[in-house]
Amino acid sequence: MKQSIATVALVVRDYDEALAFYVGKLGFELIEDTPLPNENKRWVVIAPPGSTGTRLLLATASDDAQHARIGDQTGGRVSFFLQTDDFERDHTRYAKAGVIFTQPPRHELYGKVVVFRDLYGNLWDLIEPR
């Protein structure tokens, strides 16, 4: 048996503002953007450049409970771990794009890492493995 996690939903306020951040600032690729018939929703899938693994489904909140979770899907913990092959390149590019880092970069046993916030406040690790 072979399984994998193909897509993870990320609750967002608005598709286009989310795309402006993830595609515009972080450089993610837009994989799919399909309107869903009879709904005011879209199937919007993005992925980091060169990724062959898990993708993100940008899902707009549809009720008060979902709106309350925007930016806090994991109770303040790091939600996503973005692995890179060049930490300095991506850290510099993100800083120039206005991405907010919560601390300076650091070296851990597992590699170089820095925590940043997305436009909604979700925490991400940018990691270059050792």
Side-chain angles (χ1 to χ4, degrees):
M1 174 191 281
K2 182 178 177 182
Q3 296 180 332
S4 64
I5 296 175
T7 309
V8 174
L10 175 62
V11 181
V12 300
R13 184 174 40 238
D14 177 82
Y15 295 115
D16 295 324
E17 76 176 359
L19 287 170
F21 180 82
Y22 292 107
V23 174
K25 287 191 176 193
L26 298 186
F28 282 29
E29 296 173 352
L30 176 61
I31 306 300
E32 183 176 356
D33 187 350
T34 303
L36 299 177
N38 304 319
E39 296 184 43
N40 192 20
K41 293 194 179 247
R42 294 156 40 192
W43 184 260
V44 180
V45 179
I46 60 173
S51 176
T52 58
T54 306
R55 298 170 172 189
L56 285 179
L57 171 69
L58 303 179
T60 56
S62 59
D63 60 27
D64 290 342
Q66 290 177 15
H67 277 281
R69 300 291 187 265
I70 295 172
D72 191 25
Q73 291 187 196
T74 58
R77 293 189 55 116
V78 171
S79 303
F80 302 97
F81 300 82
L82 181 59
Q83 187 169 306
T84 180
D85 63 348
D86 188 334
F87 182 89
E88 298 304 326
R89 174 198 65 212
D90 292 338
H91 181 258
T92 299
R93 184 168 52 103
Y94 292 177
K96 286 181 181 176
V99 172
I100 298 170
F101 297 96
T102 66
Q103 57 192 237
R106 64 187 194 278
H107 292 272
E108 297 290 346
L109 293 175
Y110 51 85
K112 294 180 197 172
V113 64
V114 68
V115 177
F116 68 91
R117 293 186 187 281
D118 68 14
L119 75 161
Y120 300 110
N122 294 302
L123 297 177
W124 290 66
D125 270 0
L126 175 64
I127 301 172
E128 181 180 355
R130 207 171 261 245

